[in-house]
Amino acid sequence: MMNIGIVGLGLIGGSIGLDLRTLGYHVLGVSRREQTCQQAITLGAVNQASNELSLLSRADVIFICTPIALILPTIKQLIPIVSATSILTDVGSVKTPIVEGACQLWPNFVGGHPMAGKAESGISVAQLGLFTGRPYVLTPGENTPRESIEKVEVIVRSLNSKVYFCDPREHDRAVAWISHLPVMASAGLISACMNETNPIVLKLAQELASSGFRDTSRVGGGNPELGRMMAEYNSVAILRSLYSFRDQIDEFIQYIEQEDWQIIEQKLSDTEQSRKEFLEHEI
Ligand code: NAP
């Protein structure tokens, strides 16, 4: 059985460890804090843990599960430690800047993004089976050796996830639509509502708010660091999506100003249909 390395024993790294240990892999974990390393051993997410990357010198495949800003620096630190045949893969939610940087540093790199998560973070919320039935996107570089891609694919499939392959730029554009734009749109909704200047109206709105506001504000009320990461690392794609969204808002403003109720109904009837079709595969 292969030796698997995991750097960053948080929600994602810890959950990968729990699954892979159950499958019989030997899992070596590295995290920043000693306490996290101990907890990972106690929870059964790793066989051995350390805060020194040197623990991974004999790992065949290493999953880098640190916060996104630390992925490339971690790869740089791993290069003098690992053997030439070691395969590196990451789990970062944005792919283009990581795959471009990582493949230059280490050709044996396969980008990855498990599309599973939770609102909370850290090893204590790691969960066995977190990736079951969820998409796991792989974005290898142009020159990544085929055997390396296949090895990562086999491991990722063993998490019971649905594996997709795509170009990193396509990945980033797709997640801008379904994940990053919704965060900004939802945050904008919350801010706009809080800008109500009449305190009586604002209080009344709060008391009347029900499932509609709860649903539409949920992703805008999430982890601020994650939202910043999306904007910072996926700025090209998210700007493209936001410009398009702004056009849509402007259209609604125009229709209402023109008192064109018919076109609004038509538009909402189109979106009613589009939503059904778009989400069809989920049902
Ligand atoms: P997380 O729970 O905060 O885990 C990251 C862990 O990395 C922390 O627990 C921290 O552990 C450790 N860490 C921080 N600096 C480190 C360093 N210098 N060296 C080694 N370990 C370090 O976050 P997460 O949600 O698992 O996210 C991790 C990655 O997964 C991110 O790149 C994110 O883009 C990606 N991702 C997240 C989700 C999601 O929904 N959460 C989904 C898919 C992908 P200690 O400081 O305690 O040691």
Side-chain angles (χ1 to χ4, degrees), residues 187-257:
L189 173 78
I190 300 169
S191 288
C193 177
M194 296 311 129
N195 280 345
E196 167 58 53
T197 48
N198 182 329
I200 295 166
V201 173
L202 185 60
K203 182 88 175 56
L204 185 62
Q206 184 187 4
E207 280 163 7
L208 301 182
S210 176
S211 59
F213 190 78
R214 198 166 286 280
D215 290 348
T216 49
S217 65
R218 185 175 64 83
V219 292
N223 184 342
E225 281 169 40
L226 223 60
R228 176 208 160 129
M229 174 279 292
M230 292 165 178
E232 189 177 348
Y233 290 89
N234 200 18
S235 55
V236 173
I238 198 164
L239 275 176
R240 209 174 153 272
S241 297
L242 276 168
Y243 292 144
S244 168
F245 186 65
R246 183 170 64 188
D247 290 344
Q248 293 298 320
I249 299 285
D250 284 343
E251 259 184 44
F252 275 113
I253 291 173
Q254 211 180 18
Y255 298 149
I256 296 169
E257 283 173 352

Side-chain angles (χ1 to χ4, degrees), residues 91-108:
V91 298
S93 316
V94 172
K95 297 274 51 95
T96 311
I98 290 175
V99 175
E100 279 173 1
C103 287
Q104 288 196 353
L105 292 166
W106 193 255
N108 226 0

Side-chain angles (χ1 to χ4, degrees), residues 117-277:
K118 286 185 178 184
E120 310 98 316
S121 57
I123 184 78
S124 53
V125 290
Q127 186 186 311
L128 192 69
L130 183 70
F131 310 101
T132 300
R134 307 296 310 156
Y136 198 122
V137 186
L138 291 179
T139 60
E142 280 166 24
N143 300 316
T144 310
R146 182 180 288 268
E147 316 84 73
S148 304
I149 303 171
E150 281 167 5
K151 274 192 184 155
V152 174
E153 183 185 355
V154 166
I155 299 170
V156 160
R157 268 195 208 286
S158 73
L159 304 172
N160 288 319
S161 55
K162 296 190 228 163
V163 179
Y164 293 83
F165 282 93
C166 70
D167 177 88
R169 278 168 232 88
E170 288 167 2
H171 165 276
D172 290 353
R173 267 171 77 163
V175 296
W177 286 121
I178 52 96
S179 172
H180 303 175
L181 172 63
V183 167
M184 304 295 157
S186 172
L189 173 78
I190 300 169
S191 288
C193 177
M194 296 311 129
N195 280 345
E196 167 58 53
T197 48
N198 182 329
I200 295 166
V201 173
L202 185 60
K203 182 88 175 56
L204 185 62
Q206 184 187 4
E207 280 163 7
L208 301 182
S210 176
S211 59
F213 190 78
R214 198 166 286 280
D215 290 348
T216 49
S217 65
R218 185 175 64 83
V219 292
N223 184 342
E225 281 169 40
L226 223 60
R228 176 208 160 129
M229 174 279 292
M230 292 165 178
E232 189 177 348
Y233 290 89
N234 200 18
S235 55
V236 173
I238 198 164
L239 275 176
R240 209 174 153 272
S241 297
L242 276 168
Y243 292 144
S244 168
F245 186 65
R246 183 170 64 188
D247 290 344
Q248 293 298 320
I249 299 285
D250 284 343
E251 259 184 44
F252 275 113
I253 291 173
Q254 211 180 18
Y255 298 149
I256 296 169
E257 283 173 352
Q258 291 164 356
E259 304 191 357
D260 196 342
W261 318 129
Q262 176 57 35
I263 198 162
I264 290 181
E265 187 172 345
Q266 182 56 51
K267 177 120 186 145
L268 291 174
S269 138
D270 291 348
T271 55
E272 182 186 31
Q273 187 59 27
S274 308
R275 180 173 189 272
K276 277 193 200 124
E277 286 167 13

Side-chain angles (χ1 to χ4, degrees), residues 68-123:
I68 216 157
L70 294 172
I71 295 175
L72 290 177
T74 301
I75 294 175
K76 282 189 192 133
Q77 286 176 277
L78 280 169
I79 288 173
I81 293 169
V82 297
S83 82
T85 54
S86 297
I87 301 166
L88 303 186
T89 182
D90 79 309
V91 298
S93 316
V94 172
K95 297 274 51 95
T96 311
I98 290 175
V99 175
E100 279 173 1
C103 287
Q104 288 196 353
L105 292 166
W106 193 255
N108 226 0
F109 178 82
V110 182
H113 180 201
M115 306 280 306
K118 286 185 178 184
E120 310 98 316
S121 57
I123 184 78

